Amino acid sequence: MHLFEPLKKLEILKDVYLLSEFVTPFENQLLNDLHVVIQTAPLRQMMTPSGFPMSVTTVNCGQLGWISDKKGYRYSSVDPLSNKPWPAMPESFKQLAQHAASTAGFADFEADACLINCYQPNTKMGLHQDKDEQDFTQPIVSVSLGVPAMFQIGGFKRSDKALKLPLYHGDVLVWGGESRLRFHGVLPIKAAVHPAFGERRINLTFRKAG
Ligand code: MD3
Ligand code: FE
């Protein structure tokens, strides 16, 4: 017997949507494909322009990948570790991102970049804006996997008060429109264990970068 569950869709702020457990129907294929991607191109610590290693480890898949080094933040079509193109974006990734965006009301989203961030206990990401993309009319889709995280969603100045939002394995957050340039970050990850991911949290961030 099929039990049809209602879609859990919550508008947290104008143009910021939380789709709880949205990953579930894609999960098996998505985790297989994620495994292949990170075997093909390794997670590594990028260096900030100021010369410190980022606390997350990072890799990309798709036509473009977000990179950071002493020259700054930007998108590149090649992995600087290998000088080869990033792994292709798996179909399961594209479908999940497009379906999440359309569910949140953003039609025809076609991600050309997927940034994969890996967090260990105590890893954090400070408040920042995503502004390295060409077209801010396009939304961003963020997929949370593994142990929980406490997100911070701020305003349009770094000093604006941020709200805290817990995100769990399988949650998808979509934001665009008036919220596209909000400051956001991730508080230090609390030690916990997820059956498939151990102590790690992996976030997939889908963007139309080019
Ligand atoms: C913006 N990564 O890599 S997006 C990044 O969990 C990054 O690794 C996050 O920020 C991560 O640039 C995922 C976080 C996010 C969440 C909610 C927002 C950004 C937001 C709400 C409004 C605007
Ligand atoms: Fe960001």
Side-chain angles (χ1 to χ4, degrees):
M1 180 171 59
H2 278 296
L3 297 172
F4 291 94
E5 290 187 36
L7 174 65
K8 294 165 190 144
K9 173 166 95 169
L10 198 62
E11 190 172 15
I12 304 282
L13 290 168
K14 176 95 171 81
D15 299 330
V16 181
Y17 291 88
L18 172 60
L19 308 176
S20 298
E21 298 170 36
F22 194 82
V23 169
T24 304
F26 300 84
E27 180 158 1
N28 290 335
Q29 189 64 49
L30 192 85
L31 296 198
N32 274 314
D33 292 341
L34 173 61
H35 194 73
V36 172
V37 168
I38 65 183
Q39 299 265 319
T40 307
L43 289 160
R44 83 298 298 265
Q45 274 177 299
M46 302 242 186
M47 297 297 276
T48 62
S50 48
F52 295 97
M54 293 185 64
S55 72
V56 289
T57 58
T58 295
V59 71
N60 293 276
C61 62
Q63 202 56 41
L64 291 169
W66 184 88
I67 62 171
S68 175
D69 61 21
K70 58 177 179 283
K71 290 187 284 184
Y73 304 134
R74 63 199 177 281
Y75 283 89
S76 170
S77 58
V78 296
D79 179 346
L81 269 188
S82 64
N83 286 317
K84 292 194 302 195
W86 299 103
M89 199 182 306
E91 280 306 314
S92 64
F93 284 34
K94 292 185 194 173
Q95 284 170 14
L96 171 62
Q98 183 159 105
H99 186 42
S102 68
T103 298
F106 300 99
D108 304 317
F109 177 60
E110 279 198 57
D112 57 14
C114 173
L115 172 63
I116 301 167
N117 285 142
C118 181
Y119 297 75
Q120 309 272 147
N122 296 315
T123 306
K124 60 184 163 50
M125 185 174 289
L127 281 176
H128 66 277
Q129 293 169 295
D130 290 6
K131 343 181 255 197
D132 301 319
E133 299 74 32
Q134 302 278 347
D135 181 359
F136 300 147
T137 71
Q138 291 294 312
I140 298 181
V141 174
S142 156
V143 176
S144 291
L145 300 169
V147 304
M150 192 64 85
F151 265 54
Q152 293 178 289
I153 306 180
F156 301 95
K157 298 196 306 268
R158 191 184 303 277
S159 58
D160 288 344
K161 190 177 162 54
L163 71 80
K164 292 187 181 67
L165 178 70
L167 289 173
Y168 301 96
H169 177 83
D171 289 349
V172 175
L173 203 61
V174 182
W175 68 97
E178 291 182 20
S179 282
R180 176 62 180 73
L181 290 172
R182 280 186 188 276
F183 277 87
H184 58 277
V186 180
L187 290 174
I189 299 292
K190 292 203 168 127
V193 177
H194 180 276
F197 285 82
E199 292 197 310
R200 295 180 299 173
R201 169 178 190 259
I202 290 193
N203 187 92
L204 311 179
T205 308
F206 293 93
R207 304 187 179 102
K208 170 118 180 54

